[in-house]
Amino acid sequence: MTSNDTPVSESPFHHGPTDRDQAPQFVLPLVLHLEKTDPPARTDALRTAARAVLTILSDERSLGDGEWAAAMRDWQDARIRKVVRRARGAEWRKAAALDGITVTGEDGAEVRVFPPIPLDGWPKELAKLQVSGTDLEDPGPPAAPDLSGPVLWLNPEVDMSAGKTMAQAGHGAQLAWWELSEAERKAWREAGFPLSVATPGAERWRELTVSGLPVVRDAGFTEIAPGSCTVVADHPALRR
């Protein structure tokens, strides 16, 4: 899973070798609360994962001399990998006791995001959580996206698990965040990071990928081929 930054020539979302590959590699852990009897809706989980990434990026602990700032800088200096795991019952309660932020979705999905850690530095409470098996469904057709606000468009031709797609949605949200001015970021944050996640038709997807909006290209570590376009990050301020 790769990431983005500006300018494009230095972007972690820019596919191919970069100086960031030589830096120590970190990962941003996200944990989905997934009970057997009451799983969240897929689209709500995707939205919530994206909002969780935005929330930690903008948290005062991640900025300046904040307690998470050094870890956030180290992570963003390398490939901004994200890994989504799942937890239920006592596992979720133990994860929720660790330093981090829990974000709740519009329809009740819960995602907890933690400060970045080294690739081999997972806390024991998170290391034992499962990555696979995060299969979610929507109870009905998702509502049409709010085109007046930010939209994360998913590639209709790439098949990914819910966990993988949550990570990609997080990449897209982060990409949009980095492209915005401080005033635009503040407005989005104060509004509670509203956003939609939607899958366009094939023709619309092709238009989006050449529209000048930021595009997430996956590094190909899991599930899909390297360089696959997974998400187009659409924000009103970026629609030139």
Side-chain angles (χ1 to χ4, degrees):
M1 305 172 193
T2 58
S3 63
N4 119 299
D5 198 353
T6 52
V8 173
S9 62
E10 300 178 359
S11 169
F13 269 102
H14 182 69
H15 184 61
T18 75
D19 290 343
R20 287 177 171 80
D21 294 319
Q22 307 307 315
Q25 298 295 305
F26 291 78
V27 62
L28 187 79
L30 297 109
V31 174
L32 171 68
H33 187 191
L34 180 60
E35 298 290 345
K36 289 183 178 179
T37 57
D38 189 24
R42 181 184 176 97
T43 297
D44 194 39
L46 301 182
R47 287 193 303 254
T48 307
R51 288 180 52 233
V53 172
L54 293 166
T55 300
I56 197 168
L57 283 169
S58 62
D59 191 278
E60 62 181 10
R61 289 166 289 184
S62 299
L63 306 173
D65 296 324
E67 61 187 282
W68 299 342
M72 293 293 286
R73 285 193 295 270
D74 288 342
W75 170 59
Q76 293 177 88
D77 283 344
R79 297 269 182 178
I80 60 164
R81 302 184 185 193
K82 301 177 180 70
V83 172
V84 177
R85 301 190 177 213
R86 58 184 172 88
R88 60 173 58 98
E91 293 177 335
W92 172 254
R93 291 190 291 273
K94 290 178 182 178
L98 298 178
D99 212 14
I101 304 170
T102 297
V103 176
T104 303
E106 298 171 16
D107 299 322
E110 287 183 293
V111 174
R112 189 163 181 85
V113 61
F114 304 87
I117 56 175
L119 285 178
D120 59 355
W122 286 79
K124 64 180 186 299
E125 295 88 349
L126 303 183
K128 63 183 180 181
L129 300 179
Q130 294 294 314
V131 177
S132 61
T134 308
D135 298 320
L136 305 174
E137 297 181 357
D138 284 311
D146 178 5
L147 300 181
S148 67
V151 183
L152 301 176
W153 297 102
L154 306 178
N155 187 338
E157 300 171 348
V158 173
D159 186 25
M160 299 181 289
S161 67
K164 175 77 171 182
T165 312
M166 288 170 65
Q168 299 299 304
H171 289 334
Q174 186 164 1
L175 187 157
W177 177 256
W178 275 337
E179 294 283 350
L180 298 176
S181 68
E182 286 299 325
E184 292 160 347
R185 290 179 181 182
K186 180 181 179 181
W188 199 9
R189 180 177 62 249
E190 291 181 348
F193 295 122
L195 58 86
S196 302
V197 177
T199 303
E203 182 176 352
R204 177 57 179 152
W205 171 255
R206 288 191 291 271
E207 293 172 352
L208 286 163
T209 59
V210 296
S211 65
L213 291 169
V215 180
V216 179
R217 292 178 175 83
D218 193 68
F221 295 126
T222 60
E223 296 193 25
I224 59 177
S228 298
C229 298
T230 58
V231 177
V232 171
D234 183 6
H235 187 286
L238 303 180
R239 296 167 189 164
R240 312 300 187 203

